[in-house]
Amino acid sequence: WFQEATGKTPPRWKQAIAIWLAFFPVSLAFQWLAGPFLVHLPLLPKVMFSTLALTPLMVFLFIPLSMRLLGPWLRGETTLLEQLERRLHQRRA
């Protein structure tokens, strides 16, 4: 996800933030929607079901989306705040 054609990769801390920004809202939504159905299951099946459901979503949809949206920040072209301000401004226009 992170390696460019030049072979450069962003710092690990930026990679961690980009993944967390993708994973947190998806995981929160999953727990909100599926949590009531899973509450009575033991821990192992609950975790197995949630990871089986979320891993493909993260790998094929949300992490690539995060990389595309945060690309300039990951490459050091803008700050995260500038990137977010630009996105907010684009939505208002």
Side-chain angles (χ1 to χ4, degrees):
W1 293 308
F2 297 99
Q3 191 169 10
E4 297 178 19
T6 62
K8 292 176 52 178
T9 59
R12 288 269 198 209
W13 66 271
K14 283 188 174 185
Q15 294 176 34
I17 290 171
I19 290 172
W20 184 84
L21 286 172
F23 193 81
F24 177 75
V26 175
S27 180
L28 184 63
F30 178 84
Q31 292 302 321
W32 181 64
L33 294 169
F37 302 106
L38 303 175
V39 70
H40 300 294
L41 291 176
L43 181 62
L44 183 63
K46 189 184 314 186
V47 172
M48 187 177 359
F49 180 76
S50 64
T51 57
L52 280 171
L54 292 177
T55 299
L57 287 173
M58 296 307 299
V59 169
F60 295 109
L61 184 61
F62 291 105
I63 291 178
L65 177 62
S66 177
M67 299 307 103
R68 189 169 40 252
L69 293 174
L70 296 174
W73 174 71
L74 288 166
R75 291 187 297 274
E77 298 168 4
T78 63
T79 66
L80 186 55
L81 185 57
E82 291 169 340
Q83 186 75 11
L84 292 173
E85 287 174 348
R86 185 178 310 137
R87 297 274 176 211
L88 289 173
H89 181 69
Q90 287 173 348
R91 287 185 178 215
R92 288 185 201 149

